[in-house]
């Protein structure tokens, strides 16, 4: 990954209306060491994050990403992030973005063990080339997430709706999907319902209806899916959040993985079975997703 820029945010900044936060932001070497050895993000994956797409210098969906950062922080009992300060920091980092696609990561950890404050920082890097996923599409393998649909409500300490830094399980799922000859995974509950991919939301098209699994089912509410639903509703389509049986993935008229940097990647096969890809419609969705969006 080609790192471009990194910024540390002083979390002790006052939350005053009209405050000028610029002197609470400290540029650091994006290629150098930056975290203390007692940093709990590294020791325990104890923190939350967001990945934003930045296209031609414009950071996409800043409001929804900050709302989800605050939601994840609340689920993890982290101090509420100062969103006005984060907005100033995001604008500062976006000025360093080049033409084309970049990825900005917002990170908020519990800080250094026994330390006084959380640690907050932002990185900016070139985005990977996602052309093939957006055009040819992705083969997915469905993987059992190992719990039933009601577990997120019964065991909120599993933090299933928070975007935590503990992505080791998500990365293991992608490796397992690759061992099965696929490009990516789609998690399903042990009682047979669709959830999400390890780094993306799943959206199905059935006729003129677009459906995604309920975010209350212990999955992330995708900012890309939210934005796409608003676009689709503007185009006269119906959208819905539902409890989706896993078997519907292979019988849908079309399906996509959606995320902030990859954007819309059509699913071209499910567990080795080819499924239809609507290339022209996917191109239209990606043209929308690449346009400046707030
Ligand atoms: N679900 C998971 C587990 C993710 O990691 C992501 C993004 O990284 C998403 C869904 C999609 O979210 P967004 O569209 O906000 O990138």
């Amino acid at each position: 990954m080609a790192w471009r820029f990194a910024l540390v945010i002083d979390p002790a900044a006052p939350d005053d209306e009209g405050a000028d936060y610029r002197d609470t932001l400290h540029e650091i070497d994006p290629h150098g060491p930056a975290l203390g050895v007692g940093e709990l993000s590294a020791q325990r994956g104890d923190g939350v994050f967001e990945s934003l797409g930045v296209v031609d210098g414009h950071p996409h969906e800043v409001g929804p990403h900050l709302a989800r950062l605050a939601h994840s922080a609340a689920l993890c009992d982290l101090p509420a992030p100062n969103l006005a300060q984060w907005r100033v920091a995001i604008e500062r980092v976006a000025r360093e973005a080049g033409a084309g696609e970049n990825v900005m990561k917002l990170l908020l950890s519990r800080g250094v063990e026994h330390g006084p404050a959380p640690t907050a920082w932002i990185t900016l890097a070139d985005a990977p080339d996602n052309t093939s996923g957006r055009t040819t599409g992705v083969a997915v393998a469905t993987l059992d997430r190992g719990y039933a649909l009601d577990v997120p409500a019964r065991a909120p300490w599993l933090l299933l709706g928070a975007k935590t830094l503990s992505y080791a399980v998500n990365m293991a799922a992608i490796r397992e999907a690759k061992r099965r000859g696929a490009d990516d995974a789609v998690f399903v509950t042990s009682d047979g319902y669709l959830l999400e991919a390890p780094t993306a939301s799943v959206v199905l098209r059935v006729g003129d209806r677009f459906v995604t699994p309920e975010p209350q089912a212990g999955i992330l509410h995708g900012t890309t899916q939210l934005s796409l639903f608003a676009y689709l509703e503007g185009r006269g389509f119906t959208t819905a959040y539902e409890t989706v049986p896993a078997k519907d993935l292979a019988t849908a008229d079309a399906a996509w993985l959606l995320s902030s940097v990859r954007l819309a990647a059509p699913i071209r096969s499910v567990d080795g079975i080819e499924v239809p890809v609507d290339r022209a419609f996917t191109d239209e969705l990606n043209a929308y997703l690449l346009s400046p969006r707030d």
Side-chain angles (χ1 to χ4, degrees), residues 61 222-232 288-289 293-294:
E61 304 291 336
T223 62
T224 318
Q225 169 268 308
L226 257 176
S227 175
L228 193 77
F229 270 22
Y231 172 77
L232 292 168
Y288 162 70
L289 293 169
R293 291 180 288 126
D294 291 313

Short mmCIF file of all heavy atoms in Angstrom, two decimals, residues 61 222-232 288-289 293-294:
data_model
loop_
_atom_site.label_atom_id
_atom_site.label_comp_id
_atom_site.label_asym_id
_atom_site.label_seq_id
_atom_site.Cartn_x
_atom_site.Cartn_y
_atom_site.Cartn_z
N GLU A 61 -19.12 10.58 2.01
CA GLU A 61 -20.00 10.17 3.11
C GLU A 61 -19.36 10.41 4.49
O GLU A 61 -19.39 9.52 5.35
CB GLU A 61 -20.35 8.67 2.97
CG GLU A 61 -20.97 8.29 1.65
CD GLU A 61 -22.37 8.86 1.45
OE1 GLU A 61 -23.04 9.15 2.44
OE2 GLU A 61 -22.76 9.03 0.28
N GLY A 222 -23.86 -0.45 6.38
CA GLY A 222 -22.90 0.07 5.39
C GLY A 222 -23.25 1.47 4.90
O GLY A 222 -24.40 1.73 4.55
N THR A 223 -22.26 2.34 4.88
CA THR A 223 -22.50 3.70 4.37
C THR A 223 -22.72 3.67 2.86
O THR A 223 -23.47 4.47 2.33
CB THR A 223 -21.32 4.62 4.70
OG1 THR A 223 -20.15 4.11 4.04
CG2 THR A 223 -21.05 4.72 6.19
N THR A 224 -22.08 2.74 2.17
CA THR A 224 -22.24 2.64 0.72
C THR A 224 -23.64 2.13 0.38
O THR A 224 -24.31 2.65 -0.52
CB THR A 224 -21.18 1.68 0.14
OG1 THR A 224 -19.94 1.94 0.79
CG2 THR A 224 -21.01 1.87 -1.35
N GLN A 225 -24.09 1.12 1.14
CA GLN A 225 -25.45 0.58 0.94
C GLN A 225 -26.49 1.67 1.21
O GLN A 225 -27.46 1.82 0.45
CB GLN A 225 -25.62 -0.64 1.86
CG GLN A 225 -27.03 -1.17 1.98
CD GLN A 225 -27.77 -0.56 3.15
OE1 GLN A 225 -27.26 -0.57 4.27
NE2 GLN A 225 -28.95 0.00 2.92
N LEU A 226 -26.28 2.45 2.28
CA LEU A 226 -27.22 3.54 2.60
C LEU A 226 -27.32 4.53 1.45
O LEU A 226 -28.41 4.92 1.02
CB LEU A 226 -26.68 4.30 3.81
CG LEU A 226 -27.30 4.05 5.17
CD1 LEU A 226 -26.54 4.85 6.22
CD2 LEU A 226 -28.77 4.48 5.16
N SER A 227 -26.15 4.92 0.95
CA SER A 227 -26.10 5.90 -0.14
C SER A 227 -26.72 5.32 -1.41
O SER A 227 -27.47 6.00 -2.13
CB SER A 227 -24.62 6.27 -0.37
OG SER A 227 -24.47 7.10 -1.46
N LEU A 228 -26.44 4.04 -1.67
CA LEU A 228 -26.98 3.40 -2.87
C LEU A 228 -28.50 3.28 -2.78
O LEU A 228 -29.20 3.49 -3.79
CB LEU A 228 -26.35 2.02 -3.06
CG LEU A 228 -26.63 1.45 -4.44
CD1 LEU A 228 -25.73 2.09 -5.48
CD2 LEU A 228 -26.46 -0.05 -4.46
N PHE A 229 -29.02 2.95 -1.61
CA PHE A 229 -30.48 2.85 -1.45
C PHE A 229 -31.13 4.21 -1.75
O PHE A 229 -32.18 4.26 -2.40
CB PHE A 229 -30.84 2.36 -0.05
CG PHE A 229 -30.94 0.85 0.07
CD1 PHE A 229 -30.30 0.02 -0.83
CD2 PHE A 229 -31.69 0.26 1.09
CE1 PHE A 229 -30.38 -1.38 -0.73
CE2 PHE A 229 -31.80 -1.13 1.20
CZ PHE A 229 -31.15 -1.94 0.29
N ALA A 230 -30.52 5.30 -1.29
CA ALA A 230 -31.09 6.63 -1.56
C ALA A 230 -31.10 6.87 -3.08
O ALA A 230 -32.08 7.37 -3.64
CB ALA A 230 -30.28 7.70 -0.85
N TYR A 231 -30.01 6.49 -3.75
CA TYR A 231 -29.93 6.65 -5.21
C TYR A 231 -31.02 5.80 -5.90
O TYR A 231 -31.73 6.28 -6.79
CB TYR A 231 -28.54 6.23 -5.68
CG TYR A 231 -28.40 6.17 -7.19
CD1 TYR A 231 -28.26 7.33 -7.95
CD2 TYR A 231 -28.42 4.93 -7.85
CE1 TYR A 231 -28.16 7.26 -9.34
CE2 TYR A 231 -28.31 4.86 -9.23
CZ TYR A 231 -28.18 6.03 -9.97
OH TYR A 231 -28.08 5.96 -11.34
N LEU A 232 -31.15 4.54 -5.47
CA LEU A 232 -32.11 3.63 -6.11
C LEU A 232 -33.55 4.12 -5.89
O LEU A 232 -34.38 4.06 -6.80
CB LEU A 232 -31.95 2.22 -5.55
CG LEU A 232 -30.64 1.51 -5.94
CD1 LEU A 232 -30.45 0.25 -5.11
CD2 LEU A 232 -30.61 1.18 -7.43
N TYR A 288 -22.35 6.34 -10.17
CA TYR A 288 -22.94 7.13 -9.08
C TYR A 288 -22.02 7.12 -7.86
O TYR A 288 -21.73 8.17 -7.26
CB TYR A 288 -24.33 6.58 -8.70
CG TYR A 288 -24.76 7.08 -7.35
CD1 TYR A 288 -25.10 8.41 -7.16
CD2 TYR A 288 -24.77 6.23 -6.24
CE1 TYR A 288 -25.42 8.89 -5.89
CE2 TYR A 288 -25.11 6.70 -4.98
CZ TYR A 288 -25.43 8.03 -4.82
OH TYR A 288 -25.74 8.50 -3.57
N LEU A 289 -21.54 5.93 -7.48
CA LEU A 289 -20.73 5.83 -6.25
C LEU A 289 -19.41 6.58 -6.36
O LEU A 289 -18.84 7.00 -5.34
CB LEU A 289 -20.50 4.35 -5.89
CG LEU A 289 -21.77 3.60 -5.47
CD1 LEU A 289 -21.52 2.10 -5.39
CD2 LEU A 289 -22.31 4.14 -4.13
N ARG A 293 -20.04 12.53 -3.27
CA ARG A 293 -21.20 12.24 -2.41
C ARG A 293 -20.90 12.70 -1.00
O ARG A 293 -19.79 12.49 -0.51
CB ARG A 293 -21.46 10.72 -2.34
CG ARG A 293 -21.97 10.11 -3.62
CD ARG A 293 -22.20 8.63 -3.44
NE ARG A 293 -20.96 7.86 -3.35
CZ ARG A 293 -20.66 7.03 -2.38
NH1 ARG A 293 -21.49 6.85 -1.38
NH2 ARG A 293 -19.52 6.35 -2.38
N ASP A 294 -21.89 13.32 -0.33
CA ASP A 294 -21.71 13.74 1.06
C ASP A 294 -22.62 12.97 1.98
O ASP A 294 -23.65 12.49 1.56
CB ASP A 294 -21.98 15.23 1.22
CG ASP A 294 -20.90 16.03 0.54
OD1 ASP A 294 -19.72 15.71 0.73
OD2 ASP A 294 -21.25 16.96 -0.21
#
